[in-house]
Amino acid sequence: MATKLFTQKCCHCLATAKQLRLFRPMVSRHYQTNYGDEQTADIVISGGGMVGASMACALGHESILQNKRIVLLEAAPKKTLILSESYGNRTCTLSPATVQLFEKCDVWSEVEDMRCQKVLRMQVWESCSNSLITFNQENMADELAYVAENDVIQEALTRRLDTLQGRVEVMYKTRVDDIKIPGVSKDMDSNAWVKLVLNNGQTLKTKLLIGSDGMNSSVRKAAQFHTVNFSYNQKAVVAVLNILGTDNNVAWQRFLPTGPIAMLPLSDTVMSLIWTTSPDHAEHLSSLSDESFIDAVNDAYWHDRDINEVANKVSSTFQSLVQTLSPGGTSCRQLPPTVTGVQKGSRASFPLGLTHSSNYVRHRVALVGDAAHRLHPLAGQGVNLGFGDVSKLSEVISRAASDGSDLGTLSYLKEYETDRQRKVLPVIGTIDGLHRLYNTDFTPIVLLRTLGLQAVNALTPLKDKIIEQASKK
Ligand SMILES: Cc1cc2nc3c(=O)[nH]c(=O)nc-3n(C[C@H](O)[C@H](O)[C@H](O)COP(=O)(O)OP(=O)(O)OC[C@H]3O[C@@H](n4cnc5c(N)ncnc54)[C@H](O)[C@@H]3O)c2cc1C
């Protein structure tokens, strides 16, 4: 589709049909007189991962943008997923706000038609004491979240983009190699369009460049945004596990002194493992046979080697006190399932770090997803924040279009930045704080977090507030 549009030239002036439509407003604002063979687009999205592809779907869905040329560039080839009995080892917990965005863009039915699993309850506890916290909706049958494989989400978005042809042009195997931004590149007029050079040698000019090109974003670098970037010196070991069949709808997370281990339900008998640990331990886990790996996972959930006697005693006294004051006020402990197998070839590990760009926008540029912020996966919020960016940015761009404004106008983009930083920064701070709080077995800290966790668990309104916050964009 994209290639076809790029080659449909008008016989008189060698411009594409799309270019002809775009030339009118451009000439009236006298930015440009002659593009020669250069291509133009109203919006270019660089990076078609889960966040970039959903950005393209959201914009393609907006009727106010139907006469705009929207181009999505993705460096990797187009992939097609054929579902089989094996599951992908990269998964995401999708919040209710993400499901809402996917419903609005007609993507959710595709995800459901393929496969995803409801999470009805979450149990979080630690190995240093008996304290725990559980989460569920007031109506126990209502879901807290869904778990889906990244491949399934990406396939659902690709299928939706296929139906949006004519609204969104997707160019696979197309990488942005060079970016010139007005206000950054010295030789550009401050109101000129962003200029991109692609790996196929073509150049493309756009009013608005959206960077969804992941944690090493070239768009962020070209925009010269100051970026905080550090490694947690931890790795996430992932795998697909088999358990003995039950109603598998609980997410299980246990904090160990080396980092949290989490199992998320993928089907009645399949779990996705995300085990955060030190790089040396991750290497050791990778070197184990499948049988020893399964033993290591079961041991991580069941052992009591780390119990801190002081914290445990205080915790038991506190628990009895809470039960006297508020009978039934704490929720009961469930036992995690026993792992019986690991899917062949599903074990892998990823280094973990935190990246945050001090700005998400400048004139004619906006960042979304991991290009703007990357965080520790312990609360499963990373891509959900990226989808939250998509919701807000598409709203702001649509408003700019309906006001008849230039889509790259900074005042609109600033509204996006302010809104998102108000939401993203507290989440990053909380998750980073939790990581630090649980990454120690120092007795006073163990005691503090044990009591804190139990107190929160006993306070239903506070827990409801936490669920409400986690459900938001
Ligand atoms: C172990 C682990 C578990 C996680 N679990 C969760 C979870 O449960 N819930 C959750 O919300 N998040 C989770 N996350 C985070 C989540 O995976 C990321 O936030 C998400 O994948 C980021 O998506 P993205 O589209 O922004 O970036 P990416 O997935 O990095 O996509 C970037 C895309 O841009 C393309 N690209 C790059 N450069 C260029 C270029 N120059 N030109 C064109 N294209 C380009 C790439 O090919 C790629 O397709 C987890 C992360 C890890 C490591």
Side-chain angles (χ1 to χ4, degrees):
M1 170 67 188
T3 333
K4 213 166 134 207
L5 275 164
F6 268 50
T7 50
Q8 273 176 350
K9 305 271 180 173
C10 158
C11 55
H12 301 296
C13 62
L14 288 179
T16 63
K18 283 269 182 183
Q19 275 179 318
L20 284 173
R21 218 169 44 222
L22 287 162
F23 261 92
R24 263 177 274 132
M26 280 162 41
V27 170
S28 67
R29 288 175 202 174
H30 42 121
Y31 295 148
Q32 228 67 56
T33 47
N34 181 15
Y35 274 112
D37 242 1
E38 255 169 17
Q39 302 294 322
T40 63
D42 294 273
I43 303 171
V44 172
I45 304 161
S46 175
M50 290 188 285
V51 175
S54 63
M55 187 79 236
C57 286
L59 295 177
H61 199 78
E62 296 286 348
S63 49
I64 187 79
L65 299 173
Q66 64 183 340
N67 293 323
K68 307 289 182 196
R69 183 173 184 214
I70 301 166
V71 178
L72 171 64
L73 306 172
E74 169 50 44
K78 184 175 182 179
K79 290 180 203 124
T80 310
L81 176 70
I82 299 163
L83 282 185
S84 67
E85 278 183 7
S86 54
Y87 284 73
N89 61 5
R90 293 295 303 272
T91 59
C92 279
T93 320
L94 300 176
S95 69
T98 296
V99 174
Q100 254 177 34
L101 169 74
F102 280 10
E103 277 171 347
K104 191 178 154 211
C105 301
D106 295 334
V107 173
W108 186 242
S109 54
E110 292 283 357
V111 174
E112 280 191 309
D113 283 352
M114 283 182 275
R115 59 188 176 201
C116 61
Q117 183 81 345
K118 275 184 185 179
V119 178
L120 300 184
R121 189 171 186 268
M122 261 183 85
Q123 179 169 302
V124 181
W125 72 111
E126 67 159 314
S127 60
C128 293
S129 78
N130 284 328
S131 66
L132 96 162
I133 188 163
T134 60
F135 296 99
N136 51 260
Q137 298 287 14
E138 205 179 331
N139 177 353
M140 303 279 276
D142 290 345
E143 68 279 353
L144 278 174
Y146 284 84
V147 180
E149 295 147 84
N150 290 13
D151 291 345
V152 165
I153 300 167
Q154 192 78 53
E155 173 69 15
L157 291 162
T158 305
R159 288 185 192 176
R160 180 70 186 116
L161 284 171
D162 286 346
T163 67
L164 283 170
Q165 282 185 17
R167 292 259 187 125
V168 180
E169 295 163 43
V170 188
M171 300 173 71
Y172 294 100
K173 292 201 229 168
T174 308
R175 203 182 55 242
V176 177
D177 273 351
D178 189 50
I179 306 169
K180 291 224 163 10
I181 298 174
V184 178
S185 294
K186 302 262 178 309
D187 53 344
M188 284 179 106
D189 182 83
S190 63
N191 212 16
W193 292 16
V194 173
K195 187 173 172 182
L196 307 172
V197 180
L198 312 182
N199 60 334
N200 58 13
Q202 273 174 334
T203 54
L204 189 53
K205 287 194 172 182
T206 183
K207 289 176 195 170
L208 176 60
L209 171 65
I210 300 176
S212 48
D213 47 354
M215 64 181 201
N216 296 317
S217 171
S218 326
V219 176
R220 188 182 67 228
K221 286 173 196 155
Q224 295 185 353
F225 292 145
H226 175 71
T227 305
V228 176
N229 196 356
F230 64 83
S231 158
Y232 279 116
N233 195 26
Q234 279 190 322
K235 280 189 159 186
V237 176
V238 298
V240 178
L241 304 174
N242 298 107
I243 56 160
L244 291 176
T246 47
D247 279 341
N248 188 22
N249 46 39
V250 182
W252 309 92
Q253 176 146 297
R254 189 181 198 203
F255 282 92
L256 309 170
T258 42
I261 178 168
M263 280 197 290
L264 309 171
L266 281 174
S267 80
D268 278 353
T269 55
V270 179
M271 283 285 192
S272 168
L273 173 79
I274 306 165
W275 186 350
T276 305
T277 189
S278 66
D280 285 349
H281 188 221
E283 204 169 303
H284 167 70
L285 289 173
S286 308
S287 69
L288 296 176
S289 65
D290 283 355
E291 289 68 27
S292 306
F293 184 75
I294 294 164
D295 289 345
V297 174
N298 284 324
D299 180 66
Y301 271 103
W302 289 90
H303 78 74
D304 56 10
R305 290 188 296 276
D306 302 330
I307 287 286
N308 180 313
E309 289 306 333
V310 179
N312 221 19
K313 256 200 193 112
V314 176
S315 157
S316 302
T317 315
F318 186 75
Q319 181 90 0
S320 331
L321 187 69
V322 168
Q323 257 159 8
T324 325
L325 294 173
S326 151
T330 58
S331 31
C332 62
R333 177 187 298 268
Q334 269 183 278
L335 298 179
T338 302
V339 177
T340 55
V342 55
Q343 187 183 290
K344 279 264 166 282
S346 69
R347 284 196 266 154
S349 67
F350 301 90
L352 300 177
L354 185 150
T355 307
H356 189 260
S357 175
S358 55
N359 292 90
Y360 297 177
V361 303
R362 62 181 303 143
H363 181 52
R364 300 209 178 286
V365 178
L367 299 179
V368 288
D370 275 22
H373 41 70
R374 176 175 69 117
L375 48 151
H376 198 291
L378 73 83
Q381 284 297 309
V383 82
N384 288 294
L385 288 177
F387 293 134
D389 298 345
V390 168
S391 293
K392 185 65 191 178
L393 187 58
S394 56
E395 177 199 315
V396 165
I397 294 172
S398 300
R399 188 138 32 77
S402 68
D403 292 350
S405 299
D406 183 326
L407 300 184
T409 307
L410 187 59
S411 55
Y412 288 92
L413 299 177
K414 273 280 173 202
E415 185 194 322
Y416 157 73
E417 180 184 75
T418 306
D419 180 87
R420 290 315 293 158
Q421 291 203 339
R422 273 193 194 138
K423 289 185 175 127
V424 171
L425 283 167
V427 175
I428 289 191
T430 308
I431 290 174
D432 189 56
L434 274 175
H435 160 73
R436 285 167 206 282
L437 188 65
Y438 278 94
N439 212 18
T440 175
D441 50 10
F442 181 51
T443 301
I445 304 288
V446 174
L447 197 57
L448 189 76
R449 71 189 186 211
T450 301
L451 294 177
L453 202 65
Q454 273 181 309
V456 176
N457 195 43
L459 293 169
T460 309
L462 184 56
K463 280 207 296 186
D464 290 347
K465 199 84 202 142
I466 295 172
I467 295 173
E468 192 190 310
Q469 283 301 319
S471 306
K472 284 184 182 163
K473 288 170 197 162

